[in-house]
Amino acid sequence: MMARLLGKSGITITPIIFGTWQAGKTGWVGIEDAEVIQAMRAAYDAGVTTFDTAEIYGNGYSEELVAQALHSVRDRVVYATKVFPNHLEYQQVMDACEGSLQRLKTDYIDLYQIHWPAGSFKNKVVPIEETMRALNDLKQQGKIRSIGVSNFSKEQLAEAAQYGQIDSIQPPYSLFWRQVEQDIMPYCVENDISIIAYSSLAQGLLTGKFGPDHKFAEGDIRTKNKLFQGEHFQRAQKALDQLRPIADRHNCTLAQLSLAWLIAQPQTSAIVGARNPDQAVQNAAAAEVTLNPDELEEIDRISRSVTDHLDADPVMWNFAA
């Protein structure tokens, strides 16, 4: 798999990144530890070298599973993890990083990210300067190799960049969720900041496996996802029907087509989770799908039949619902 640079860090990442939110189990159902561990190994064997996790995923459990799966190949993989907004004061950042290092069974984190801006989820508003001072100190100590942010607006990203080198931003981004293109993407292109897209398959919607009458189990985070609700969901179903012939032409799945489109966008890599080894291998194969300019334009047009009806709120879930 052709690697690409992470911002200005000198670190190389793969265009397909294994996401481990589901490994923590919080907000997900039907997840088996053994299968997730096997999926991570299968992804690595298929050429994926970059793995994204967070301290909040299962209160650190996801990080522990990453270590179980990949400890033997630690020197050949990139670990990206995140600090939650309840830990953004200076000493809290230092302590949170230490906790992640221990759970990941490593002495350095390749990419350490602020998961949500300060004040999110009713947490204390901490000046970004204080948080960045901690991250810069961790970098100087060799405990982290690069700094990223997640779920930041362009203005928040620019403010953070005043206090240190930001090498990536992690926003929700997919064929069906494209707010990042408005102002964040141009800023990232101009400043050489990588875009690491999460929910790159719109939490599974772009796989095409959730039909119009699908009902999620209680506790599944997707019950709060705006794309699975009302007219948005119906428009998505119509768009998927239009995308299928393009996938058929490439002898690939809808998911692979969606990922191929996403990693063809400027400076964008795609985080995608997997419940089992087969899904992981299928996801990795998306990097081999090459779309010509006409196909990219056609997919773009189909996509906008969904995204043009969404509001400007970049948060994908109705958390209060």
Side-chain angles (χ1 to χ4, degrees), residues 19 21 26 61 66 84 120 155 170 201 259 264 285 291 301 306:
W21 182 6
T26 304
Y61 192 62
V66 169
F84 204 63
S120 298
E155 291 71 27
Q170 188 176 136
L201 291 176
L259 292 171
L291 301 169
R301 177 182 54 77
V306 177

Side-chain angles (χ1 to χ4, degrees), residues 142-178:
K143 293 184 177 180
I144 66 174
R145 298 176 66 201
S146 61
I147 299 168
V149 298
S150 180
N151 298 297
F152 274 42
S153 67
K154 189 198 88 168
E155 291 71 27
Q156 291 166 330
L157 171 59
E159 183 182 7
Q162 293 177 16
Y163 300 105
Q165 180 174 307
I166 304 296
D167 285 307
S168 68
I169 183 168
Q170 188 176 136
Y173 185 23
S174 73
L175 263 177
F176 288 168
W177 199 267
R178 298 175 59 174

Side-chain angles (χ1 to χ4, degrees), residues 68-124:
Q68 286 186 50
L70 301 168
H71 184 64
S72 64
V73 293
R74 174 65 186 101
D75 59 334
R76 284 163 274 170
V77 294
V78 170
Y79 283 173
T81 193
K82 312 179 199 75
V83 56
F84 204 63
N86 59 338
H87 291 151
L88 296 184
E89 294 179 6
Y90 181 90
Q91 192 56 48
Q92 290 174 332
V93 174
M94 305 303 278
D95 293 343
C97 181
E98 197 60 43
S100 289
L101 287 167
Q102 291 177 11
R103 289 187 293 271
L104 287 165
K105 292 185 168 59
T106 185
D107 54 7
Y108 67 95
I109 292 164
D110 298 282
L111 173 62
Y112 199 41
Q113 304 155 98
I114 304 172
H115 202 156
W116 289 83
S120 298
F121 307 108
K122 300 180 180 179
N123 284 290
K124 181 179 179 180

